[in-house]
Amino acid sequence: MRLLFSPQLNPATETGWRRTWFDIIYRHDTPPSRNFDLLLIVAIVASVSVVMLDSVDHIHATYGHVLYAIEWGFTLLFTAEYALRLAVVKRPVRYGLSSWGIIDLLSILPTYLSLLFPGSQSLLVVRILRILRLFRILKLVQYVEEGGVLVGALWRSRRKIFVFICAVLTVVVIFGALMYVVEGPEHGFDSIPMGMYWAIVTMATVGFGDIAPATTLGRFITSILILIGYSVIAVPTGIYTAELASSLRQADARTRVVDNRACPDCGMEGHDPEAHFCRCCGHALAAPMG
Amino acid sequence: MRLLFSPQLNPATETGWRRTWFDIIYRHDTPPSRNFDLLLIVAIVASVSVVMLDSVDHIHATYGHVLYAIEWGFTLLFTAEYALRLAVVKRPVRYGLSSWGIIDLLSILPTYLSLLFPGSQSLLVVRILRILRLFRILKLVQYVEEGGVLVGALWRSRRKIFVFICAVLTVVVIFGALMYVVEGPEHGFDSIPMGMYWAIVTMATVGFGDIAPATTLGRFITSILILIGYSVIAVPTGIYTAELASSLRQADARTRVVDNRACPDCGMEGHDPEAHFCRCCGHALAAPMG
Amino acid sequence: MRLLFSPQLNPATETGWRRTWFDIIYRHDTPPSRNFDLLLIVAIVASVSVVMLDSVDHIHATYGHVLYAIEWGFTLLFTAEYALRLAVVKRPVRYGLSSWGIIDLLSILPTYLSLLFPGSQSLLVVRILRILRLFRILKLVQYVEEGGVLVGALWRSRRKIFVFICAVLTVVVIFGALMYVVEGPEHGFDSIPMGMYWAIVTMATVGFGDIAPATTLGRFITSILILIGYSVIAVPTGIYTAELASSLRQADARTRVVDNRACPDCGMEGHDPEAHFCRCCGHALAAPMG
Amino acid sequence: MRLLFSPQLNPATETGWRRTWFDIIYRHDTPPSRNFDLLLIVAIVASVSVVMLDSVDHIHATYGHVLYAIEWGFTLLFTAEYALRLAVVKRPVRYGLSSWGIIDLLSILPTYLSLLFPGSQSLLVVRILRILRLFRILKLVQYVEEGGVLVGALWRSRRKIFVFICAVLTVVVIFGALMYVVEGPEHGFDSIPMGMYWAIVTMATVGFGDIAPATTLGRFITSILILIGYSVIAVPTGIYTAELASSLRQADARTRVVDNRACPDCGMEGHDPEAHFCRCCGHALAAPMG
């Protein structure tokens, strides 16, 4: 979180149109800035939808040029917004190099690049990354706290999850190699990486079925791997749930009003509900209310 | 819950057959009303079973006209019940526009409409919606409280779940587009929406296998997506479990007997309900209240 | 648990060989009875393995008659044990009609019946039910308490799980009918029950892939069903975990030694560690130890 | 943990090069030993990658001899390391027979054996076991404690998990036999062990789809098995989460500062660490200790 650039107004232009636009773009608590946010959400969702629709063959065949025009419309809109963001901020270069600045740039660049390198499919994925811009807006409303609790619990359990992932990957490597030897290329296990792909798909209970064991021994090994995966799926859930429950309990404890009496002598607060005397100066306290 | 229309007796007809039938239909605590509920449950389950059986080809071929007759029997029965519900209630129009009123209507309408538009398959789903009527009865017995706890915990965690679903959908969009570019139409990923469908099926560990990665890079990306999905499946469980545990703990705390006597000598509180003397100064305590 | 018949020794034969065998068969805490239990476990596992092996075609072809002989050996052994159980118990008829008595009978009956009705495959499943006899032994060692906690938590959450299963089945019925209408028989959804089977397979994230949506609308509906199933899989885990955590906490609380001082005056125990006077008679207590 | 051999320096050689190398190889807290650990991690990961890459057909065809040379390089390196480990340790034989000693040996032996038995595929899996050596290093850094909590909770819940696995395997045996009888060899269920493999794959929600029910009754039984598996997947998660939450709570409680001062006037205990006066009688308290 601290890595994110917190935009500041250009002090040389603290009045005039720049101040107005800074408030509209970067703040989220005035009616104009809320409307701007809403407009931006709609534009992002619409432009991502256009990219999606354009990838469907029969829609591309019929409406390809319409979607191309709309795409350019959104690109110009986002370009104008990007220029505006740079213009009103105090340190444009630093903004441009921040995470959000790069995501902003990535959401407009591919369309321009497609003029230079026509028909390059891979720019499509870059274009779809603009969906990440939604989080900048989401980040700043009432969902921050909720998201913060979730991410916080994930962050505190990062080491446990790292140890867990290491253990899972070791099991995956060993079972992947085992199945490569047992089943062999004739049943689809044509290399150890392929066996590992199969082991991940199996342990995580996805089970596509594109590769499946065909020998009795292979099926027996699969059953063991599944039982391991089945016991092991409990671990990340357990880690995360325990961590989250602990967070919520602490949050609970903080919001619980223990005692709202203040010492008449030294002003100390937060007394034990059973206390009759201030724990700091020994002065008598009033009787508790509730 | 508050949106639901709570039916009231028509005051102009507070005696006579209408009062009798109002009690039978809308109350759930007298022997006749319990029998009515039971009969309704049987009729709903039977009529839904008829719709299901009729959809099986060889049963339809042999018993089609019998099932058709039974269906009309149930429709007439439900029509009579619907008319009766409207007749005995104080404000029939408001009942008709309430959630339950609309579900009641939807459960009889399709059969009549099938006379006008013969052979329309889509009315079938509407007909099966009558299964929802079961909840009106279930809602009013001893399962309310249990269901209430479950729904309450779900409701309190709605924002966390919304944040979570947004994050999941973002991952789905990005990986869907990525796989569309990497695997391409020749392996079944013929558009970004198709890639997103595959990403949802994979992340949620369903894994039909109708579309599966066929290239090495695609399989590598799949493995990463699965590991993300595997870590992430813990999150809704964690949210819900922590919330539910907190509900149950609070319910526990509420039912625990609290003693509110203060020692007349030293003012000590928090005594054991069984105590007769203050544990701090030995002074006699008043008899406990509750 | 209370439904199970607790075998009692035949009082008329409280000495002699019957008493000896009663102790060997029904008790589990003497060396001979432990050896008997161990022998029985081995016999059950071996006889179930024989049934399994016999179902494999090439093993049946080669060793069929050997396995048939072994099966008869085990059947005679179990028959002798069954006769012995009936002989030494006080009320043989009541034992014969108890759950365990019926399971004992079912484990020997099929082999005799196969003489009358040769080649009847379905007796095979009945024969395999003898694996349930393992639980009679398992039930009586150190795993009782552990299993008791698990079953207890499951039992206390039975109503919540019932409400949950009802909700899941409603979703299954509605989506099954919807997919039947949307996809139709040409994509494998050839009846509503088939659609329901698919919906269960999908919601529970099994995803065989024997039936999979083939239309765009069908895939969209599938995605929604998967997201519902994904949120909903948290519910039984949450119910069960919260209930189990509560059980374990209560067990913890019970084993925690609060205070082991007894009142020198009235002998009252279980005082608050902070108490200086007996809460029952007001007599001064000794200072707490720990 | 206690089973592992804790290496000790050879006392006869407590100075000189052996001491230096002992510190480098077996300690993990000096700069040279850290560099050695890092080098070993890189070598292990690289050599496992070589084994993996060599299993891919087209890589083997092109770079087979290069990979073979690299493999020999790593084998000689690990052989030198193994010899050094034996040389500097006090009791080489005991080290050689410890778990780590055997894993060390297994990671070099297959390459030498491949000279004697050329082309033996099965040595491949043994070779890949050298990935386990990573844990010796991982074991000794900051992840020990985290891993310890996870393994500890798993260990304490071992009996519950054993009971659970027994119950699951019983269900698997019964449903496997049932499906063998109901579906039969013509739908892929050609023996009871095959049915059991299918039941494990289904209950654990993997669902490859290589074998799937084809009859209506089979699909009905499958639906029931899935619903059982769905309810039952909650159990290991519940066990583990409850155990882990209890561990974390105890760890919390241990780190919380406890005040052990008693009021010199009234003997009241359990004061806030910040308190200067007794909350019961107002007498001054001694300064807190810790």
Side-chain angles (χ1 to χ4, degrees):
Chain A
M1 292 289 190
R2 260 175 258 156
L3 299 175
L4 295 175
F5 172 67
S6 172
Q8 278 180 289
L9 186 63
N10 189 334
T13 58
E14 275 196 11
T15 52
W17 67 272
R18 286 195 176 172
R19 175 168 198 104
T20 312
W21 279 102
F22 183 89
D23 284 357
I24 292 174
I25 296 179
Y26 288 106
R27 291 182 65 181
H28 303 267
D29 48 1
T30 59
S33 70
R34 279 177 189 278
N35 290 340
F36 179 82
D37 284 355
L38 200 66
L39 197 80
L40 203 58
I41 291 176
V42 170
I44 293 167
V45 170
S47 80
V48 168
S49 306
V50 165
V51 177
M52 280 181 199
L53 288 175
D54 196 40
S55 75
V56 181
D57 268 359
H58 66 267
I59 295 179
H60 181 78
T62 323
Y63 305 102
H65 48 282
V66 179
L67 293 174
Y68 188 71
I70 298 175
E71 172 64 29
W72 269 106
F74 281 122
T75 301
L76 294 177
L77 188 75
F78 292 145
T79 309
E81 185 221 341
Y82 181 62
L84 205 55
R85 280 186 187 270
L86 289 179
V88 300
V89 93
K90 200 174 165 186
R91 289 193 275 184
V93 175
R94 205 169 154 195
Y95 177 78
L97 296 174
S98 72
S99 313
W100 290 123
I102 290 168
I103 290 174
D104 287 353
L105 186 62
L106 283 178
S107 71
I108 53 173
L109 215 58
T111 318
Y112 293 111
L113 287 179
S114 70
L115 291 178
L116 302 172
F117 316 100
S120 65
Q121 278 282 53
S122 29
L123 292 174
L124 216 101
V125 184
V126 181
R127 218 182 286 169
I128 217 132
L129 283 181
R130 62 175 68 147
I131 202 175
L132 290 174
R133 300 187 71 210
L134 277 182
F135 283 86
R136 111 177 306 153
I137 298 155
L138 214 62
K139 215 183 128 271
L140 289 146
V141 286
Q142 67 205 92
Y143 294 98
V144 178
E145 203 190 339
E146 304 290 340
V149 171
L150 298 186
V151 170
L154 213 56
W155 179 248
R156 276 198 310 284
S157 43
R158 69 192 178 285
R159 279 203 198 143
K160 289 198 194 65
I161 287 178
F162 178 77
V163 170
F164 172 71
I165 293 283
C166 283
V168 165
L169 284 182
T170 305
V171 173
V172 160
V173 168
I174 293 173
F175 273 85
L178 200 60
M179 288 299 276
Y180 166 62
V181 170
V182 168
E183 293 278 333
E186 63 271 28
H187 299 128
F189 294 82
D190 51 17
S191 66
I192 293 182
M194 181 65 100
M196 287 166 61
Y197 159 73
W198 171 85
I200 288 179
V201 166
T202 302
M203 259 193 102
T205 76
V206 175
F208 285 126
D210 50 348
I211 316 169
T215 66
T216 305
L217 182 56
R219 282 182 176 132
F220 182 72
I221 294 170
T222 305
S223 301
I224 290 171
L225 178 62
I226 289 174
L227 285 180
I228 292 175
Y230 199 57
S231 316
V232 142
I233 208 173
V235 176
T237 309
I239 293 168
Y240 191 75
T241 305
E243 206 63 69
L244 197 61
S246 153
S247 301
L248 292 180
R249 207 162 35 232
Q250 283 167 24
D252 259 28
R254 268 198 299 279
T255 58
R256 204 182 299 141
V257 179
V258 178
D259 190 287
N260 55 5
R261 294 175 298 167
C263 172
D265 191 50
C266 71
M268 184 85 184
E269 286 181 352
H271 297 287
D272 190 298
E274 281 184 18
H276 298 296
F277 295 91
C278 173
R279 71 175 191 271
C280 182
C281 67
H283 195 282
L285 294 172
M289 291 301 162
Chain B
M1 293 290 189
R2 260 174 258 155
L3 297 175
L4 294 174
F5 172 66
S6 173
Q8 278 180 289
L9 187 64
N10 189 334
T13 59
E14 276 198 8
T15 53
W17 68 272
R18 286 195 176 173
R19 174 168 197 105
T20 312
W21 279 102
F22 182 88
D23 284 357
I24 292 174
I25 295 179
Y26 287 106
R27 290 182 66 181
H28 302 267
D29 48 1
T30 60
S33 70
R34 278 177 191 277
N35 290 339
F36 179 83
D37 285 355
L38 200 65
L39 197 80
L40 203 58
I41 291 177
V42 171
I44 292 167
V45 169
S47 80
V48 168
S49 305
V50 165
V51 176
M52 281 181 197
L53 287 175
D54 197 40
S55 76
V56 182
D57 268 358
H58 66 267
I59 295 178
H60 181 77
T62 322
Y63 304 104
H65 48 282
V66 180
L67 293 174
Y68 188 70
I70 297 175
E71 171 64 28
W72 269 106
F74 281 122
T75 302
L76 294 176
L77 187 76
F78 292 145
T79 308
E81 185 221 341
Y82 182 62
L84 206 55
R85 279 185 187 271
L86 288 180
V88 301
V89 95
K90 199 174 165 187
R91 288 193 275 185
V93 175
R94 206 170 153 195
Y95 177 78
L97 296 175
S98 72
S99 313
W100 290 123
I102 290 168
I103 290 174
D104 287 352
L105 187 62
L106 284 178
S107 71
I108 54 174
L109 215 59
T111 318
Y112 293 111
L113 287 180
S114 71
L115 291 178
L116 302 174
F117 316 100
S120 65
Q121 278 282 51
S122 28
L123 291 173
L124 216 100
V125 185
V126 181
R127 219 181 286 170
I128 216 132
L129 282 182
R130 61 175 69 146
I131 202 175
L132 289 175
R133 301 187 69 209
L134 278 182
F135 283 86
R136 111 177 305 151
I137 299 157
L138 214 64
K139 214 182 127 272
L140 289 146
V141 285
Q142 67 205 93
Y143 293 97
V144 178
E145 202 189 338
E146 304 291 339
V149 171
L150 298 186
V151 170
L154 214 55
W155 179 248
R156 275 197 311 284
S157 43
R158 68 192 178 286
R159 277 201 199 144
K160 288 197 194 67
I161 286 177
F162 178 77
V163 171
F164 172 72
I165 294 281
C166 284
V168 165
L169 285 182
T170 306
V171 172
V172 161
V173 168
I174 292 172
F175 273 85
L178 200 60
M179 287 300 277
Y180 167 62
V181 170
V182 167
E183 292 277 331
E186 64 271 27
H187 299 128
F189 294 82
D190 52 16
S191 66
I192 293 182
M194 181 65 99
M196 286 166 62
Y197 159 74
W198 171 87
I200 288 179
V201 166
T202 302
M203 257 193 103
T205 76
V206 175
F208 285 127
D210 51 347
I211 315 168
T215 65
T216 305
L217 181 57
R219 283 182 174 131
F220 184 72
I221 294 170
T222 304
S223 301
I224 290 171
L225 178 63
I226 288 175
L227 285 180
I228 292 175
Y230 199 56
S231 317
V232 142
I233 208 174
V235 175
T237 309
I239 293 168
Y240 191 75
T241 305
E243 206 62 69
L244 197 60
S246 153
S247 302
L248 293 180
R249 208 161 35 231
Q250 283 166 23
D252 260 29
R254 266 198 300 279
T255 58
R256 205 181 296 143
V257 179
V258 176
D259 191 278
N260 55 4
R261 294 175 297 167
C263 173
D265 190 49
C266 73
M268 185 84 183
E269 288 180 350
H271 297 286
D272 190 297
E274 281 182 19
H276 297 298
F277 294 91
C278 174
R279 70 175 192 274
C280 182
C281 68
H283 196 281
L285 294 171
M289 292 301 163
Chain C
M1 293 288 191
R2 261 173 257 156
L3 298 175
L4 295 174
F5 172 66
S6 173
Q8 277 180 290
L9 186 62
N10 189 335
T13 59
E14 275 198 10
T15 52
W17 68 272
R18 286 195 176 172
R19 176 171 195 102
T20 313
W21 279 101
F22 182 88
D23 284 357
I24 291 174
I25 295 179
Y26 288 107
R27 291 182 66 182
H28 302 266
D29 48 2
T30 60
S33 70
R34 277 176 192 278
N35 290 339
F36 180 84
D37 284 356
L38 201 64
L39 197 80
L40 203 59
I41 291 177
V42 171
I44 293 167
V45 170
S47 80
V48 168
S49 306
V50 165
V51 177
M52 280 180 199
L53 288 175
D54 197 41
S55 76
V56 181
D57 267 358
H58 66 268
I59 295 179
H60 181 78
T62 323
Y63 304 103
H65 47 283
V66 179
L67 294 174
Y68 187 69
I70 297 175
E71 171 64 28
W72 268 107
F74 281 122
T75 301
L76 294 177
L77 187 77
F78 292 145
T79 309
E81 185 221 342
Y82 182 62
L84 205 56
R85 280 187 188 272
L86 289 180
V88 300
V89 95
K90 201 173 163 188
R91 289 193 274 187
V93 175
R94 204 170 157 197
Y95 177 78
L97 297 173
S98 71
S99 314
W100 290 123
I102 290 168
I103 290 174
D104 286 351
L105 187 62
L106 284 178
S107 70
I108 54 173
L109 216 57
T111 318
Y112 293 111
L113 287 180
S114 70
L115 292 178
L116 302 174
F117 316 101
S120 64
Q121 278 283 51
S122 28
L123 290 174
L124 216 100
V125 185
V126 181
R127 216 180 290 169
I128 216 131
L129 281 182
R130 62 176 66 148
I131 203 175
L132 289 175
R133 301 188 70 210
L134 278 182
F135 284 87
R136 114 177 303 155
I137 299 156
L138 214 64
K139 217 185 125 270
L140 289 146
V141 285
Q142 67 205 93
Y143 294 97
V144 178
E145 202 190 339
E146 305 291 339
V149 170
L150 298 186
V151 170
L154 213 55
W155 179 248
R156 277 198 309 284
S157 43
R158 69 192 178 285
R159 277 203 199 143
K160 289 196 194 68
I161 286 177
F162 179 78
V163 171
F164 172 71
I165 294 283
C166 284
V168 164
L169 284 182
T170 306
V171 173
V172 160
V173 168
I174 293 172
F175 274 85
L178 200 60
M179 288 300 276
Y180 167 62
V181 171
V182 168
E183 293 277 333
E186 63 271 27
H187 299 128
F189 294 82
D190 50 18
S191 67
I192 293 182
M194 181 65 100
M196 286 166 62
Y197 159 75
W198 172 87
I200 287 179
V201 167
T202 303
M203 257 194 103
T205 75
V206 176
F208 284 126
D210 51 347
I211 316 167
T215 65
T216 305
L217 183 55
R219 284 182 174 130
F220 183 71
I221 294 170
T222 304
S223 301
I224 290 170
L225 178 63
I226 289 175
L227 286 181
I228 292 175
Y230 199 57
S231 315
V232 142
I233 208 173
V235 175
T237 308
I239 292 168
Y240 191 75
T241 305
E243 207 62 69
L244 196 62
S246 154
S247 301
L248 293 180
R249 208 161 35 231
Q250 283 166 24
D252 259 29
R254 267 199 299 279
T255 59
R256 205 182 298 142
V257 179
V258 178
D259 191 287
N260 53 4
R261 294 175 298 167
C263 173
D265 192 49
C266 71
M268 184 87 184
E269 287 180 353
H271 297 286
D272 191 297
E274 281 185 17
H276 298 295
F277 296 91
C278 173
R279 69 175 193 272
C280 182
C281 68
H283 194 280
L285 293 171
M289 292 299 162
Chain D
M1 293 286 192
R2 261 173 257 154
L3 298 174
L4 294 175
F5 172 67
S6 172
Q8 278 179 288
L9 186 63
N10 189 333
T13 59
E14 275 198 9
T15 51
W17 67 272
R18 286 194 176 173
R19 174 168 197 102
T20 313
W21 278 101
F22 182 89
D23 284 358
I24 291 174
I25 294 179
Y26 288 106
R27 292 181 65 181
H28 303 266
D29 48 1
T30 59
S33 70
R34 280 177 190 278
N35 290 339
F36 179 83
D37 286 354
L38 200 65
L39 197 81
L40 203 58
I41 291 177
V42 170
I44 293 167
V45 169
S47 80
V48 168
S49 306
V50 165
V51 176
M52 281 181 198
L53 287 175
D54 196 40
S55 76
V56 181
D57 268 359
H58 66 268
I59 295 179
H60 181 79
T62 323
Y63 304 104
H65 48 283
V66 179
L67 293 174
Y68 187 70
I70 298 175
E71 171 64 29
W72 268 107
F74 281 122
T75 300
L76 294 177
L77 187 76
F78 290 146
T79 308
E81 185 221 342
Y82 181 61
L84 205 56
R85 279 188 187 271
L86 289 180
V88 302
V89 95
K90 200 174 163 186
R91 290 193 276 185
V93 175
R94 206 170 155 196
Y95 177 78
L97 296 173
S98 72
S99 313
W100 290 124
I102 290 168
I103 290 175
D104 286 353
L105 186 61
L106 284 178
S107 71
I108 53 173
L109 215 58
T111 317
Y112 293 111
L113 288 179
S114 70
L115 292 177
L116 303 173
F117 315 101
S120 65
Q121 278 282 51
S122 29
L123 291 173
L124 216 101
V125 184
V126 181
R127 219 180 287 169
I128 217 133
L129 282 182
R130 61 177 67 148
I131 202 175
L132 289 175
R133 301 188 70 210
L134 278 182
F135 283 86
R136 113 177 304 155
I137 299 156
L138 213 64
K139 213 182 128 273
L140 289 146
V141 285
Q142 66 206 91
Y143 293 97
V144 178
E145 202 190 339
E146 304 290 340
V149 171
L150 298 186
V151 170
L154 214 55
W155 179 249
R156 276 198 310 283
S157 43
R158 70 191 177 285
R159 277 202 200 144
K160 289 198 194 64
I161 286 178
F162 179 78
V163 171
F164 171 72
I165 294 282
C166 284
V168 164
L169 284 182
T170 306
V171 173
V172 160
V173 169
I174 293 172
F175 273 84
L178 200 60
M179 288 301 275
Y180 167 61
V181 171
V182 167
E183 292 277 333
E186 63 270 28
H187 299 128
F189 294 82
D190 51 18
S191 66
I192 293 182
M194 181 65 100
M196 287 167 62
Y197 159 74
W198 172 86
I200 287 179
V201 166
T202 302
M203 258 194 102
T205 75
V206 176
F208 285 127
D210 50 348
I211 315 168
T215 66
T216 305
L217 182 56
R219 281 182 175 132
F220 183 71
I221 294 170
T222 305
S223 301
I224 290 170
L225 179 63
I226 289 174
L227 285 180
I228 291 175
Y230 199 59
S231 315
V232 142
I233 208 173
V235 176
T237 309
I239 293 168
Y240 191 75
T241 306
E243 205 63 68
L244 196 62
S246 153
S247 301
L248 292 180
R249 208 161 36 229
Q250 283 167 23
D252 259 30
R254 267 199 298 281
T255 58
R256 206 182 294 142
V257 180
V258 177
D259 191 278
N260 54 5
R261 294 175 299 167
C263 173
D265 190 48
C266 71
M268 184 84 184
E269 289 179 351
H271 297 286
D272 191 296
E274 280 183 20
H276 298 298
F277 294 92
C278 174
R279 69 175 192 273
C280 182
C281 68
H283 195 282
L285 293 171
M289 292 298 162

